[in-house]
Amino acid sequence: YIFTRLDRISTAVIDSSRFNELLSFSSRDVDVRISVTKAKTRTSLTVGNIQIDQQSSNFRCKAPVIFAPSPSKYPHPTVQFLCWKDNVRSKIDMDSYEYVALR
């Protein structure tokens, strides 16, 4: 069983010739789980919050947010991926999946 949790991931696209940040990406509450048994391999990826902002000074705007979830009293994950592989039915050249979902 593997469990990884990252509280925050952040990255930016920078115009190095002008020392100017163009775009920033941040995500919060990233959770990865992998469980392997003889019968099944279960994988899940959950991202609690994703936000993308444009930071370029060339664009004059009131709110630089390109993508962000709406505030909610009971927040849900922004992205959730689940995959259950059937190891018994899988062969060398073909994998068998019992369940695959992206929400």
Side-chain angles (χ1 to χ4, degrees), residues 6-89:
L6 301 170
D7 182 50
R8 184 179 298 243
I9 299 172
S10 214
T11 188
V13 176
I14 298 173
D15 180 353
S16 59
S17 65
R18 295 186 186 138
F19 303 106
N20 188 19
E21 185 176 357
L22 303 174
L23 191 71
S24 70
F25 167 85
S26 64
S27 64
R28 297 178 69 174
D29 302 327
V30 177
D31 183 302
V32 178
R33 298 170 192 237
I34 301 170
S35 170
V36 180
T37 64
K38 277 190 171 185
K40 305 244 185 269
T41 299
R42 293 180 175 96
T43 306
S44 74
L45 168 69
T46 304
V47 180
N49 186 350
I50 296 174
Q51 183 165 331
I52 302 171
D53 301 332
Q54 72 86 10
Q55 302 293 327
S56 177
S57 60
N58 297 337
F59 302 104
R60 308 270 186 245
C61 61
K62 291 181 181 179
V65 176
I66 295 173
F67 176 83
S70 300
S72 172
K73 187 174 181 179
Y74 304 105
H76 296 283
T78 304
V79 176
Q80 191 171 34
F81 173 75
L82 303 167
C83 177
W84 296 353
K85 179 181 171 189
D86 187 338
N87 295 335
V88 175
R89 297 181 72 187

